[in-house]
Amino acid sequence: MNDLSFEIKKHIKTYKDWPHKGSVFRDLTDIYQHPEITQKCVNRLTERYISSNLTHIAILEARAFVLGSMLAARLNLPIILIRKQHKMAGEIIESQNSGDQRPLQMRKDACGENDNVLIFDDLIAKGHSTMAAINLIKQTGANISEV
């Protein structure tokens, strides 16, 4: 692990069995409380995706909105907001995440065929929300480049 990775990782707190038993939650809140570390994270992510063929970044509610939006702005890419039911206006599409949460939604016109989408989230516990996001993006005909 290089010095930058170590510097970023020391600002990530780990909580076992949260939000569900068997999950490991890595909390980024401490990163957001240190703007210089936040910038280093965005810089590292930018390096990873600057030469990619991404056309959009889909960001899952809600903590991922912070880094995901900063990354999208840096890459000059539009964002796709993926939110819980009843939080989106306009023509929306919906995907049940098969978990115990409300379905996820996004605007129907957020992306389409020939678009290449990065799905960006800060927490994958059981994977229900991630699978719902994948389903939403696929409904538009867009390609999922990476999760």
mmCIF file of all heavy atoms in Angstrom, residues 68-85:
data_model
loop_
_atom_site.group_PDB
_atom_site.id
_atom_site.type_symbol
_atom_site.label_atom_id
_atom_site.label_comp_id
_atom_site.label_asym_id
_atom_site.label_seq_id
_atom_site.Cartn_x
_atom_site.Cartn_y
_atom_site.Cartn_z
ATOM 1 N N GLY A 68 -19.330 11.136 -5.348
ATOM 2 C CA GLY A 68 -19.779 10.869 -6.714
ATOM 3 C C GLY A 68 -19.992 12.148 -7.512
ATOM 4 O O GLY A 68 -19.606 12.230 -8.687
ATOM 5 N N SER A 69 -20.586 13.144 -6.892
ATOM 6 C CA SER A 69 -20.810 14.429 -7.578
ATOM 7 C C SER A 69 -19.496 15.143 -7.849
ATOM 8 O O SER A 69 -19.313 15.746 -8.921
ATOM 9 C CB SER A 69 -21.721 15.326 -6.739
ATOM 10 O OG SER A 69 -23.000 14.764 -6.640
ATOM 11 N N MET A 70 -18.592 15.094 -6.895
ATOM 12 C CA MET A 70 -17.290 15.725 -7.095
ATOM 13 C C MET A 70 -16.529 15.049 -8.236
ATOM 14 O O MET A 70 -15.914 15.724 -9.065
ATOM 15 C CB MET A 70 -16.478 15.686 -5.797
ATOM 16 C CG MET A 70 -17.070 16.546 -4.696
ATOM 17 S SD MET A 70 -16.212 16.350 -3.129
ATOM 18 C CE MET A 70 -14.749 17.335 -3.452
ATOM 19 N N LEU A 71 -16.585 13.728 -8.283
ATOM 20 C CA LEU A 71 -15.918 12.987 -9.354
ATOM 21 C C LEU A 71 -16.546 13.327 -10.704
ATOM 22 O O LEU A 71 -15.827 13.588 -11.676
ATOM 23 C CB LEU A 71 -15.991 11.483 -9.094
ATOM 24 C CG LEU A 71 -15.431 10.583 -10.193
ATOM 25 C CD1 LEU A 71 -13.945 10.850 -10.426
ATOM 26 C CD2 LEU A 71 -15.686 9.123 -9.845
ATOM 27 N N ALA A 72 -17.860 13.338 -10.777
ATOM 28 C CA ALA A 72 -18.542 13.653 -12.038
ATOM 29 C C ALA A 72 -18.171 15.052 -12.524
ATOM 30 O O ALA A 72 -17.907 15.253 -13.713
ATOM 31 C CB ALA A 72 -20.051 13.525 -11.865
ATOM 32 N N ALA A 73 -18.128 16.006 -11.612
ATOM 33 C CA ALA A 73 -17.752 17.369 -11.992
ATOM 34 C C ALA A 73 -16.317 17.406 -12.517
ATOM 35 O O ALA A 73 -16.026 18.052 -13.528
ATOM 36 C CB ALA A 73 -17.920 18.315 -10.807
ATOM 37 N N ARG A 74 -15.433 16.703 -11.856
ATOM 38 C CA ARG A 74 -14.025 16.682 -12.269
ATOM 39 C C ARG A 74 -13.875 16.042 -13.646
ATOM 40 O O ARG A 74 -13.057 16.469 -14.454
ATOM 41 C CB ARG A 74 -13.212 15.915 -11.234
ATOM 42 C CG ARG A 74 -11.738 15.873 -11.471
ATOM 43 C CD ARG A 74 -10.999 17.177 -11.130
ATOM 44 N NE ARG A 74 -11.078 17.579 -9.754
ATOM 45 C CZ ARG A 74 -10.312 17.141 -8.772
ATOM 46 N NH1 ARG A 74 -9.368 16.255 -9.012
ATOM 47 N NH2 ARG A 74 -10.468 17.594 -7.552
ATOM 48 N N LEU A 75 -14.676 15.005 -13.928
ATOM 49 C CA LEU A 75 -14.602 14.317 -15.215
ATOM 50 C C LEU A 75 -15.502 14.962 -16.273
ATOM 51 O O LEU A 75 -15.542 14.493 -17.415
ATOM 52 C CB LEU A 75 -14.982 12.835 -15.044
ATOM 53 C CG LEU A 75 -14.046 11.998 -14.180
ATOM 54 C CD1 LEU A 75 -14.631 10.609 -13.949
ATOM 55 C CD2 LEU A 75 -12.661 11.910 -14.798
ATOM 56 N N ASN A 76 -16.237 15.980 -15.860
ATOM 57 C CA ASN A 76 -17.166 16.680 -16.757
ATOM 58 C C ASN A 76 -18.226 15.721 -17.311
ATOM 59 O O ASN A 76 -18.524 15.711 -18.507
ATOM 60 C CB ASN A 76 -16.419 17.388 -17.885
ATOM 61 C CG ASN A 76 -17.284 18.428 -18.555
ATOM 62 O OD1 ASN A 76 -18.147 19.046 -17.930
ATOM 63 N ND2 ASN A 76 -17.067 18.630 -19.849
ATOM 64 N N LEU A 77 -18.776 14.896 -16.406
ATOM 65 C CA LEU A 77 -19.805 13.928 -16.781
ATOM 66 C C LEU A 77 -21.105 14.238 -16.056
ATOM 67 O O LEU A 77 -21.087 14.688 -14.903
ATOM 68 C CB LEU A 77 -19.365 12.507 -16.401
ATOM 69 C CG LEU A 77 -18.160 11.937 -17.126
ATOM 70 C CD1 LEU A 77 -17.797 10.572 -16.545
ATOM 71 C CD2 LEU A 77 -18.432 11.823 -18.617
ATOM 72 N N PRO A 78 -22.242 13.952 -16.700
ATOM 73 C CA PRO A 78 -23.523 14.119 -16.010
ATOM 74 C C PRO A 78 -23.708 13.040 -14.952
ATOM 75 O O PRO A 78 -23.170 11.931 -15.079
ATOM 76 C CB PRO A 78 -24.557 13.980 -17.129
ATOM 77 C CG PRO A 78 -23.865 13.238 -18.218
ATOM 78 C CD PRO A 78 -22.400 13.518 -18.084
ATOM 79 N N ILE A 79 -24.473 13.391 -13.930
ATOM 80 C CA ILE A 79 -24.787 12.405 -12.895
ATOM 81 C C ILE A 79 -26.213 11.908 -13.070
ATOM 82 O O ILE A 79 -27.074 12.592 -13.613
ATOM 83 C CB ILE A 79 -24.586 12.955 -11.467
ATOM 84 C CG1 ILE A 79 -25.501 14.137 -11.189
ATOM 85 C CG2 ILE A 79 -23.142 13.317 -11.233
ATOM 86 C CD1 ILE A 79 -25.483 14.593 -9.748
ATOM 87 N N ILE A 80 -26.409 10.693 -12.608
ATOM 88 C CA ILE A 80 -27.728 10.080 -12.542
ATOM 89 C C ILE A 80 -28.001 9.863 -11.063
ATOM 90 O O ILE A 80 -27.260 9.117 -10.409
ATOM 91 C CB ILE A 80 -27.756 8.726 -13.281
ATOM 92 C CG1 ILE A 80 -27.360 8.889 -14.748
ATOM 93 C CG2 ILE A 80 -29.120 8.067 -13.133
ATOM 94 C CD1 ILE A 80 -27.035 7.571 -15.440
ATOM 95 N N LEU A 81 -29.005 10.527 -10.532
ATOM 96 C CA LEU A 81 -29.354 10.337 -9.132
ATOM 97 C C LEU A 81 -30.260 9.121 -9.005
ATOM 98 O O LEU A 81 -31.276 9.021 -9.701
ATOM 99 C CB LEU A 81 -30.064 11.563 -8.568
ATOM 100 C CG LEU A 81 -29.249 12.851 -8.555
ATOM 101 C CD1 LEU A 81 -30.097 13.996 -8.002
ATOM 102 C CD2 LEU A 81 -27.980 12.686 -7.747
ATOM 103 N N ILE A 82 -29.886 8.211 -8.139
ATOM 104 C CA ILE A 82 -30.710 7.042 -7.836
ATOM 105 C C ILE A 82 -31.158 7.196 -6.394
ATOM 106 O O ILE A 82 -30.324 7.226 -5.484
ATOM 107 C CB ILE A 82 -29.943 5.728 -8.084
ATOM 108 C CG1 ILE A 82 -29.568 5.653 -9.562
ATOM 109 C CG2 ILE A 82 -30.778 4.538 -7.628
ATOM 110 C CD1 ILE A 82 -28.854 4.400 -9.980
ATOM 111 N N ARG A 83 -32.482 7.312 -6.239
ATOM 112 C CA ARG A 83 -33.030 7.662 -4.931
ATOM 113 C C ARG A 83 -34.133 6.703 -4.517
ATOM 114 O O ARG A 83 -34.672 5.969 -5.337
ATOM 115 C CB ARG A 83 -33.595 9.081 -4.979
ATOM 116 C CG ARG A 83 -32.545 10.063 -5.480
ATOM 117 C CD ARG A 83 -32.695 11.435 -4.975
ATOM 118 N NE ARG A 83 -32.722 11.475 -3.528
ATOM 119 C CZ ARG A 83 -33.237 12.494 -2.848
ATOM 120 N NH1 ARG A 83 -33.765 13.522 -3.478
ATOM 121 N NH2 ARG A 83 -33.222 12.499 -1.529
ATOM 122 N N LYS A 84 -34.473 6.763 -3.236
ATOM 123 C CA LYS A 84 -35.585 5.980 -2.723
ATOM 124 C C LYS A 84 -36.896 6.522 -3.269
ATOM 125 O O LYS A 84 -36.984 7.683 -3.677
ATOM 126 C CB LYS A 84 -35.591 6.012 -1.197
ATOM 127 C CG LYS A 84 -34.403 5.281 -0.606
ATOM 128 C CD LYS A 84 -34.405 5.340 0.888
ATOM 129 C CE LYS A 84 -33.152 4.639 1.405
ATOM 130 N NZ LYS A 84 -32.721 5.164 2.674
ATOM 131 N N GLN A 85 -37.899 5.673 -3.260
ATOM 132 C CA GLN A 85 -39.222 5.998 -3.787
ATOM 133 C C GLN A 85 -39.769 7.304 -3.203
ATOM 134 O O GLN A 85 -39.548 7.602 -2.034
ATOM 135 C CB GLN A 85 -40.158 4.841 -3.464
ATOM 136 C CG GLN A 85 -41.503 4.904 -4.120
ATOM 137 C CD GLN A 85 -42.326 3.680 -3.792
ATOM 138 O OE1 GLN A 85 -42.297 3.198 -2.666
ATOM 139 N NE2 GLN A 85 -43.062 3.185 -4.763
#
